Amino acid sequence: MAWAKTSKVSQLYPETLTQIAIVKWFRLQYPGLYDHIIKIGNGGRKTAQGHLLSGRMGEVVGASDLFIAVPSLEFSGLWLEVKPEKFKIVPSNAAHAQRQLDFIDKMKCAGYDGEMVIGSKEGIDAIKSYMSGAVF
């Protein structure tokens, strides 16, 4: 990701850079589906009132970072929870990671595919696998 080192993007969190790399790859690989990879606007620091308002607006705690709105032969779309390269589940993040995995399980029960991916390579590999059965 040499392009990130020359801009303010390099000052962002590793998870953000990983997500940017995945989205950039998808949009280059599937230019006709540019708008079919969607960032879910969860996360960020909020006041208690901000959390309440976000929930009323439809934010779901634990919802995945990205959604690929392309049906496959088997699924209605792909949810991706993106983690940075060196991510590990430790006691301080275990409850939140579990909520994210629970969200993916709920989406699978509703006819979607979903994965928690660690690093851009794993994310791209998950998309390649999913898109091999895509209907578009």
Side-chain angles (χ1 to χ4, degrees):
M1 288 186 292
W3 57 271
K5 293 178 181 168
T6 60
S7 70
K8 291 186 179 190
V9 173
S10 63
Q11 298 171 12
L12 300 175
Y13 294 103
E15 184 172 322
T16 303
L17 295 174
T18 301
Q19 188 168 320
I20 288 170
I22 292 169
V23 170
K24 181 178 180 181
W25 175 86
F26 180 90
R27 289 178 169 167
L28 289 171
Q29 188 71 25
Y30 305 101
L33 301 173
Y34 187 93
D35 293 334
H36 289 68
I37 188 166
I38 302 161
K39 178 196 178 303
I40 305 303
N42 287 354
R45 294 178 188 239
K46 298 180 184 86
T47 63
Q49 185 177 5
H51 280 289
L52 181 62
L53 183 59
S54 291
R56 288 179 179 170
M57 292 171 56
E59 183 174 299
V60 175
V61 175
S64 297
D65 297 309
L66 295 172
F67 179 67
I68 297 179
V70 177
S72 73
L73 296 173
E74 195 174 346
F75 302 104
S76 298
L78 174 65
W79 291 91
L80 285 179
E81 177 58 42
V82 177
K83 298 297 180 192
E85 195 69 43
K86 296 179 181 179
F87 176 78
K88 301 273 189 254
I89 296 178
V90 295
S92 63
N93 67 18
H96 186 62
Q98 188 58 55
R99 283 191 297 272
Q100 293 169 327
L101 291 169
D102 291 345
F103 176 85
I104 290 170
D105 287 343
K106 288 176 190 175
M107 294 302 102
K108 286 181 174 184
C109 288
Y112 297 92
D113 196 5
E115 285 190 50
M116 180 180 284
V117 297
I118 299 173
S120 57
K121 181 182 180 333
E122 198 172 295
I124 289 167
D125 288 346
I127 293 170
K128 284 180 183 177
S129 177
Y130 179 80
M131 294 299 283
S132 69
V135 181
F136 62 97

